[in-house]
Protein backbone atom coordinates (compact mmCIF):
# COMPACT_ATOMS: atom_id res chain seq x y z
CA UNK A 1 0.00 0.00 0.00
CA UNK A 2 1.53 3.29 -1.08
CA UNK A 3 -0.77 5.73 0.71
CA UNK A 4 -0.83 6.13 4.49
CA UNK A 5 -4.32 4.74 4.86
CA UNK A 6 -5.74 1.55 6.28
CA UNK A 7 -4.88 -0.41 9.40
CA UNK A 8 -1.79 0.65 11.35
CA UNK A 9 -1.88 -2.03 14.08
CA UNK A 10 -4.25 -4.15 16.15
CA UNK A 11 -3.93 -4.60 19.92
CA UNK A 12 -5.44 -7.45 21.94
CA UNK A 13 -5.25 -9.08 25.38
CA UNK A 14 -3.60 -12.39 26.23
CA UNK A 15 -3.55 -14.58 29.33
CA UNK A 16 0.11 -15.66 29.19
CA UNK A 17 3.15 -13.77 27.92
CA UNK A 18 5.18 -16.95 27.36
CA UNK A 19 2.34 -18.71 25.55
CA UNK A 20 1.65 -15.64 23.45
CA UNK A 21 5.26 -15.38 22.27
CA UNK A 22 5.47 -19.08 21.50
CA UNK A 23 2.34 -19.09 19.36
CA UNK A 24 2.93 -15.96 17.32
CA UNK A 25 6.66 -16.39 16.74
CA UNK A 26 6.92 -20.18 16.39
CA UNK A 27 3.53 -21.31 15.10
CA UNK A 28 2.75 -18.29 12.91
CA UNK A 29 6.32 -17.18 12.24
CA UNK A 30 5.92 -13.49 13.04
CA UNK A 31 8.84 -11.45 14.30
CA UNK A 32 8.76 -10.08 17.84
CA UNK A 33 9.72 -6.53 16.87
CA UNK A 34 9.34 -4.75 20.22
CA UNK A 35 9.46 -5.67 23.89
CA UNK A 36 8.10 -2.80 25.93
CA UNK A 37 5.43 -2.31 28.60
CA UNK A 38 1.88 -1.07 28.76
CA UNK A 39 2.52 2.62 29.39
CA UNK A 40 -0.67 2.80 31.49
CA UNK A 41 0.22 -0.37 33.45
CA UNK A 42 4.05 -0.72 33.39
CA UNK A 43 4.04 -4.04 35.25
CA UNK A 44 2.53 -5.62 32.10
CA UNK A 45 4.33 -6.39 28.86
CA UNK A 46 3.33 -4.74 25.61
CA UNK A 47 4.54 -7.08 22.88
CA UNK A 48 4.57 -6.18 19.18
CA UNK A 49 4.73 -8.72 16.34
CA UNK A 50 5.00 -8.03 12.63
CA UNK A 51 7.16 -8.33 9.57
CA UNK A 52 10.89 -7.61 9.69
CA UNK A 53 10.38 -3.99 10.76
CA UNK A 54 6.82 -4.08 12.08
CA UNK A 55 5.75 -1.54 9.49
CA UNK A 56 2.19 -0.19 9.51
CA UNK A 57 -0.27 -2.81 8.36
CA UNK A 58 1.70 -5.71 9.87
CA UNK A 59 1.81 -5.11 13.63
CA UNK A 60 -0.30 -7.19 16.01
CA UNK A 61 0.32 -6.22 19.63
CA UNK A 62 -0.66 -7.73 22.96
CA UNK A 63 -1.11 -6.83 26.59
CA UNK A 64 -0.52 -10.22 28.27
CA UNK A 65 -2.09 -9.93 31.71
CA UNK A 66 -1.07 -13.17 33.38
CA UNK A 67 -3.96 -15.40 34.39
CA UNK A 68 -6.85 -13.14 33.35
CA UNK A 69 -9.98 -14.97 32.19
CA UNK A 70 -10.92 -15.32 28.56
CA UNK A 71 -13.21 -12.68 27.14
CA UNK A 72 -16.50 -13.19 25.33
CA UNK A 73 -16.88 -12.89 21.58
CA UNK A 74 -19.81 -10.76 20.50
CA UNK A 75 -21.07 -7.47 19.14
CA UNK A 76 -19.34 -4.17 19.70
CA UNK A 77 -15.90 -5.68 19.10
CA UNK A 78 -13.30 -6.33 16.44
CA UNK A 79 -13.25 -10.07 15.94
CA UNK A 80 -11.68 -11.97 13.02
CA UNK A 81 -8.11 -10.84 12.30
CA UNK A 82 -6.97 -11.78 8.81
CA UNK A 83 -3.30 -12.46 8.05
CA UNK A 84 -2.33 -12.27 4.38
CA UNK A 85 -0.26 -14.96 2.67
CA UNK A 86 0.19 -15.73 -1.03
CA UNK A 87 -2.68 -17.77 -2.45
CA UNK A 88 -0.21 -20.47 -3.42
CA UNK A 89 0.72 -20.85 0.28
CA UNK A 90 -2.73 -21.85 1.52
CA UNK A 91 -2.06 -25.58 1.05
CA UNK A 92 1.24 -25.21 2.91
CA UNK A 93 -0.49 -23.46 5.82
CA UNK A 94 -3.27 -26.02 5.95
CA UNK A 95 -0.70 -28.80 6.17
CA UNK A 96 1.37 -26.91 8.74
CA UNK A 97 -1.58 -26.27 11.04
CA UNK A 98 -2.55 -29.93 10.85
CA UNK A 99 1.00 -31.11 11.55
CA UNK A 100 1.19 -28.78 14.57
CA UNK A 101 -2.18 -30.03 15.88
CA UNK A 102 -3.68 -26.53 15.62
CA UNK A 103 -7.42 -26.86 15.09
CA UNK A 104 -8.64 -25.03 11.99
CA UNK A 105 -11.47 -24.98 9.49
CA UNK A 106 -11.23 -26.20 5.93
CA UNK A 107 -10.28 -23.49 3.43
CA UNK A 108 -13.22 -21.55 2.02
CA UNK A 109 -13.71 -18.79 -0.54
CA UNK A 110 -14.62 -15.21 0.38
CA UNK A 111 -14.36 -12.16 -1.88
CA UNK A 112 -12.07 -14.06 -4.28
CA UNK A 113 -9.75 -14.96 -1.42
CA UNK A 114 -9.14 -18.30 0.29
CA UNK A 115 -9.59 -18.28 4.06
CA UNK A 116 -8.53 -20.71 6.80
CA UNK A 117 -10.12 -19.90 10.17
CA UNK A 118 -8.43 -20.84 13.46
CA UNK A 119 -8.01 -19.60 17.03
CA UNK A 120 -4.98 -18.62 19.06
CA UNK A 121 -4.38 -20.22 22.51
CA UNK A 122 -6.76 -17.69 24.13
CA UNK A 123 -9.50 -18.27 21.60
CA UNK A 124 -8.90 -15.13 19.53
CA UNK A 125 -10.34 -15.51 16.04
CA UNK A 126 -7.64 -15.60 13.37
CA UNK A 127 -7.76 -16.19 9.64
CA UNK A 128 -4.98 -17.11 7.23
CA UNK A 129 -6.06 -15.40 4.00
CA UNK A 130 -4.63 -16.29 0.62
CA UNK A 131 -4.50 -13.13 -1.50
CA UNK A 132 -3.34 -12.21 -5.00
CA UNK A 133 -1.15 -9.38 -3.69
CA UNK A 134 0.73 -10.90 -0.73
CA UNK A 135 3.28 -12.57 -2.98
CA UNK A 136 4.43 -9.15 -4.18
CA UNK A 137 5.66 -8.28 -0.68
CA UNK A 138 8.83 -9.66 0.91
CA UNK A 139 8.31 -12.30 3.56
CA UNK A 140 10.12 -12.46 6.88
CA UNK A 141 11.90 -15.80 7.20
CA UNK A 142 11.66 -17.14 10.75
CA UNK A 143 13.17 -20.33 12.11
CA UNK A 144 9.84 -22.09 11.54
CA UNK A 145 8.24 -20.43 8.51
CA UNK A 146 10.15 -19.84 5.25
CA UNK A 147 9.95 -16.41 3.61
CA UNK A 148 7.91 -17.62 0.62
CA UNK A 149 5.04 -18.76 2.88
CA UNK A 150 5.38 -16.08 5.57
CA UNK A 151 2.54 -13.90 6.75
CA UNK A 152 2.99 -10.51 5.08
CA UNK A 153 0.73 -8.51 7.40
CA UNK A 154 -2.97 -7.90 7.78
CA UNK A 155 -5.39 -8.72 5.02
CA UNK A 156 -8.08 -7.08 7.14
CA UNK A 157 -10.19 -7.14 10.28
CA UNK A 158 -13.90 -7.83 10.83
CA UNK A 159 -16.13 -5.85 13.19
CA UNK A 160 -19.22 -7.45 14.74
CA UNK A 161 -21.90 -4.83 15.24
CA UNK A 162 -25.56 -4.46 16.16
CA UNK A 163 -25.85 -1.96 13.31
CA UNK A 164 -23.31 -1.00 10.66
CA UNK A 165 -24.55 2.30 9.18
CA UNK A 166 -22.93 4.78 11.58
CA UNK A 167 -19.65 2.84 11.65
CA UNK A 168 -19.59 2.79 7.85
CA UNK A 169 -19.93 6.58 7.88
CA UNK A 170 -16.80 6.88 10.03
CA UNK A 171 -14.84 4.51 7.79
CA UNK A 172 -15.78 6.36 4.60
CA UNK A 173 -16.02 9.92 5.93
CA UNK A 174 -12.91 10.03 8.12
CA UNK A 175 -10.63 7.01 7.77
CA UNK A 176 -10.27 6.85 4.00
CA UNK A 177 -12.24 3.69 3.21
CA UNK A 178 -14.80 3.05 0.48
CA UNK A 179 -17.45 0.37 0.12
CA UNK A 180 -16.31 -2.44 -2.17
CA UNK A 181 -19.27 -4.79 -1.94
CA UNK A 182 -21.24 -7.24 0.18
CA UNK A 183 -21.08 -11.01 0.45
CA UNK A 184 -22.78 -13.38 2.91
CA UNK A 185 -23.74 -10.56 5.26
CA UNK A 186 -20.30 -8.90 5.18
CA UNK A 187 -19.90 -5.36 3.96
CA UNK A 188 -16.36 -4.97 2.70
CA UNK A 189 -14.65 -1.59 2.88
CA UNK A 190 -11.22 -0.98 1.37
CA UNK A 191 -8.64 1.78 1.72
CA UNK A 192 -6.07 2.71 -0.89
CA UNK A 193 -5.27 -0.27 -3.10
CA UNK A 194 -7.08 -2.61 -0.70
CA UNK A 195 -3.92 -4.58 -0.07
CA UNK A 196 -1.76 -4.49 3.07
CA UNK A 197 -4.00 -3.53 5.99
CA UNK A 198 -6.54 -2.21 3.55
CA UNK A 199 -9.74 -4.08 4.45
CA UNK A 200 -12.40 -3.71 7.12
CA UNK A 201 -15.44 -6.00 7.03
CA UNK A 202 -18.58 -4.94 8.88
CA UNK A 203 -20.86 -7.76 10.03
CA UNK A 204 -24.29 -7.06 11.45
CA UNK A 205 -24.50 -9.78 14.09
CA UNK A 206 -27.63 -10.57 16.06
CA UNK A 207 -25.85 -12.03 19.06
CA UNK A 208 -24.62 -11.32 22.58
CA UNK A 209 -22.53 -8.28 23.45
CA UNK A 210 -18.82 -8.95 23.62
CA UNK A 211 -16.74 -8.65 26.80
CA UNK A 212 -13.09 -7.64 26.80
CA UNK A 213 -10.53 -9.96 28.43
CA UNK A 214 -8.07 -12.60 27.17
CA UNK A 215 -8.36 -13.41 23.48
CA UNK A 216 -10.28 -10.24 22.64
CA UNK A 217 -9.16 -7.23 20.60
CA UNK A 218 -8.67 -4.07 22.65
CA UNK A 219 -8.52 -1.63 19.74
CA UNK A 220 -7.77 -1.15 16.06
CA UNK A 221 -5.38 1.62 15.01
CA UNK A 222 -5.69 3.33 11.65
CA UNK A 223 -2.89 5.08 9.79
CA UNK A 224 -2.13 8.78 9.60
CA UNK A 225 0.92 9.91 7.67
CA UNK A 226 1.83 12.61 10.18
CA UNK A 227 0.53 14.83 12.98
CA UNK A 228 -1.25 17.24 10.61
CA UNK A 229 -3.15 14.43 8.92
CA UNK A 230 -4.06 12.97 12.30
CA UNK A 231 -5.34 16.34 13.53
CA UNK A 232 -7.54 16.73 10.45
CA UNK A 233 -9.01 13.28 11.05
CA UNK A 234 -9.66 14.11 14.71
CA UNK A 235 -11.38 17.34 13.70
CA UNK A 236 -13.55 15.44 11.22
CA UNK A 237 -14.60 13.08 14.00
CA UNK A 238 -15.53 15.96 16.27
CA UNK A 239 -17.59 17.44 13.43
CA UNK A 240 -19.56 14.17 13.50
CA UNK A 241 -20.07 14.58 17.25
CA UNK A 242 -17.49 11.91 18.15
CA UNK A 243 -15.03 13.05 20.87
CA UNK A 244 -11.39 12.03 20.77
CA UNK A 245 -8.62 11.94 23.35
CA UNK A 246 -5.68 14.30 23.29
CA UNK A 247 -2.65 13.08 21.38
CA UNK A 248 -0.60 10.52 23.33
CA UNK A 249 3.07 9.82 22.66
CA UNK A 250 3.54 6.06 22.34
CA UNK A 251 7.26 6.39 21.42
CA UNK A 252 6.88 4.46 18.15
CA UNK A 253 3.86 6.47 16.97
CA UNK A 254 1.59 9.21 18.28
CA UNK A 255 -2.03 8.37 18.94
CA UNK A 256 -5.51 9.69 19.46
CA UNK A 257 -8.36 7.40 20.52
CA UNK A 258 -12.12 7.39 20.11
CA UNK A 259 -15.05 5.03 20.47
CA UNK A 260 -16.77 4.55 17.12
CA UNK A 261 -20.61 4.43 17.07
CA UNK A 262 -20.73 0.63 17.17
CA UNK A 263 -18.71 0.51 20.38
CA UNK A 264 -15.28 -0.54 19.08
CA UNK A 265 -12.28 1.42 20.36
CA UNK A 266 -10.43 3.00 17.44
CA UNK A 267 -7.05 4.72 17.39
CA UNK A 268 -5.45 6.96 14.80
CA UNK A 269 -1.68 6.38 14.85
CA UNK A 270 1.04 8.19 12.95
CA UNK A 271 3.29 6.20 10.64
CA UNK A 272 6.33 7.91 12.14
CA UNK A 273 8.75 7.35 13.78
CA UNK A 274 8.49 3.52 13.72
CA UNK A 275 10.06 0.76 15.78
CA UNK A 276 13.68 1.40 14.82
CA UNK A 277 13.73 4.70 16.71
CA UNK A 278 15.39 3.12 19.77
CA UNK A 279 17.15 0.02 18.39
CA UNK A 280 18.50 -1.18 15.08
CA UNK A 281 16.40 -3.22 12.69
CA UNK A 282 18.70 -6.19 13.26
CA UNK A 283 18.15 -6.01 17.04
CA UNK A 284 14.41 -5.32 17.07
CA UNK A 285 12.59 -7.08 19.88
CA UNK A 286 15.65 -8.47 21.64
CA UNK A 287 15.63 -6.34 24.80
CA UNK A 288 13.17 -4.46 26.98
CA UNK A 289 12.73 -0.89 25.75
CA UNK A 290 11.23 1.76 28.01
CA UNK A 291 10.31 5.39 27.40
CA UNK A 292 12.59 7.90 29.11
CA UNK A 293 10.07 8.65 31.84
CA UNK A 294 9.99 4.98 32.89
CA UNK A 295 13.74 4.34 32.78
CA UNK A 296 14.23 5.29 36.48
CA UNK A 297 11.85 2.43 37.35
CA UNK A 298 13.53 -0.18 35.12
CA UNK A 299 14.65 -2.41 37.99
CA UNK A 300 11.20 -2.55 39.58
CA UNK A 301 9.52 -3.06 36.22
CA UNK A 302 11.83 -5.90 35.17
CA UNK A 303 11.26 -7.63 38.52
CA UNK A 304 7.50 -7.72 37.92
CA UNK A 305 7.49 -8.81 34.27
CA UNK A 306 6.97 -12.55 33.67
CA UNK A 307 9.46 -14.46 31.49
CA UNK A 308 8.82 -14.63 27.75
CA UNK A 309 10.62 -17.90 27.06
Amino acid sequence: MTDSVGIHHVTAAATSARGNVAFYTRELGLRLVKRTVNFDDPTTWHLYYGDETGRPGTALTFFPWEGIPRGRHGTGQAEEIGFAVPKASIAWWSERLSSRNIAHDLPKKRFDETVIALKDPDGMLIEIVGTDWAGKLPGYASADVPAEHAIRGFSGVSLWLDDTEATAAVLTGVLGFRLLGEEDGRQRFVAGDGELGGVIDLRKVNWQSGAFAGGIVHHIAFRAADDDTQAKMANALRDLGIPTTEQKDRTYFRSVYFREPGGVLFEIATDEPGFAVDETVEALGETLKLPAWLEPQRGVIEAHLPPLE
Side-chain angles (χ1 to χ4, degrees):
M1 180 175 289
T2 56
D3 298 325
S4 293
V5 291
I7 298 167
H8 185 282
H9 67 270
V10 178
T11 296
T15 66
S16 164
R18 178 181 279 143
N20 187 256
V21 171
F23 182 79
Y24 285 96
T25 61
R26 296 175 197 161
E27 306 299 352
L28 296 191
L30 300 179
R31 186 182 189 189
L32 178 60
V33 294
K34 191 63 62 177
R35 304 184 189 207
T36 186
V37 294
N38 182 333
F39 290 178
D40 300 315
D41 177 13
T43 62
T44 299
W45 285 107
H46 192 176
L47 305 174
Y48 291 77
Y49 307 92
D51 67 356
E52 184 179 14
T53 62
R55 63 177 167 153
T58 74
L60 177 62
T61 96
F62 283 91
F63 303 133
W65 283 292
E66 297 296 307
I68 62 169
R70 285 192 180 186
R72 183 176 68 234
H73 296 294
T75 58
Q77 296 183 155
E79 289 290 355
E80 299 108 330
I81 297 173
F83 285 121
V85 301
K87 270 190 175 176
S89 296
I90 283 292
W92 185 91
W93 274 100
S94 184
E95 182 178 342
R96 173 172 174 78
L97 294 171
S98 295
S99 69
R100 305 290 289 182
N101 294 316
I102 298 171
H104 61 282
D105 293 347
L106 293 174
K108 64 180 180 181
K109 294 290 184 180
R110 183 196 300 154
F111 287 104
D112 297 323
E113 298 171 338
T114 305
V115 180
I116 302 174
L118 63 144
K119 296 179 180 179
D120 83 353
D122 291 319
M124 194 164 78
L125 305 180
I126 294 172
E127 295 175 336
I128 303 294
V129 182
T131 74
D132 290 326
W133 54 263
K136 299 184 296 184
L137 301 178
Y140 169 71
S142 73
D144 299 280
V145 178
E148 64 181 302
H149 299 305
I151 289 169
R152 300 318 202 256
F154 297 121
S155 60
V157 177
S158 298
L159 309 186
W160 292 7
L161 305 169
D162 291 320
D163 188 71
T164 62
E165 184 176 355
T167 302
V170 171
L171 290 176
T172 58
V174 179
L175 299 176
F177 286 77
R178 64 188 183 277
L179 179 63
L180 178 68
E182 186 168 349
E183 181 179 301
D184 295 332
R186 290 175 179 265
Q187 293 176 293
R188 173 149 293 186
F189 294 80
V190 297
D193 54 19
E195 296 184 358
L196 183 66
V199 169
I200 293 289
D201 284 351
L202 301 186
R203 298 183 61 189
K204 188 173 182 179
V205 177
N206 182 21
W207 203 33
Q208 64 189 3
S209 296
F212 176 70
I216 300 296
V217 173
H218 184 267
H219 64 267
I220 304 177
F222 294 89
R223 295 177 65 181
D226 50 35
D227 292 335
D228 288 343
T229 304
Q230 183 190 70
K232 290 176 182 176
M233 296 165 80
N235 287 334
L237 288 165
R238 289 190 282 270
D239 289 343
L240 293 175
I242 299 173
T244 70
T245 66
E246 73 282 2
Q247 189 187 67
K248 298 179 183 291
D249 186 355
R250 300 308 195 189
T251 301
Y252 312 108
F253 42 85
R254 295 174 294 280
S255 306
V256 297
Y257 300 85
F258 65 98
R259 189 76 62 174
E260 60 83 29
V264 183
L265 183 61
F266 280 4
E267 172 185 349
I268 302 171
T270 59
D271 281 356
E272 54 192 25
F275 294 114
V277 69
D278 59 359
E279 56 189 339
T280 65
V281 170
E282 293 76 19
L284 284 175
E286 293 182 1
T287 59
L288 172 64
K289 293 297 179 179
L290 297 174
W293 58 275
L294 283 177
E295 273 296 344
Q297 304 174 45
R298 175 176 284 271
V300 173
I301 289 170
E302 289 181 329
H304 282 87
L305 291 172
L308 298 183
E309 298 174 352

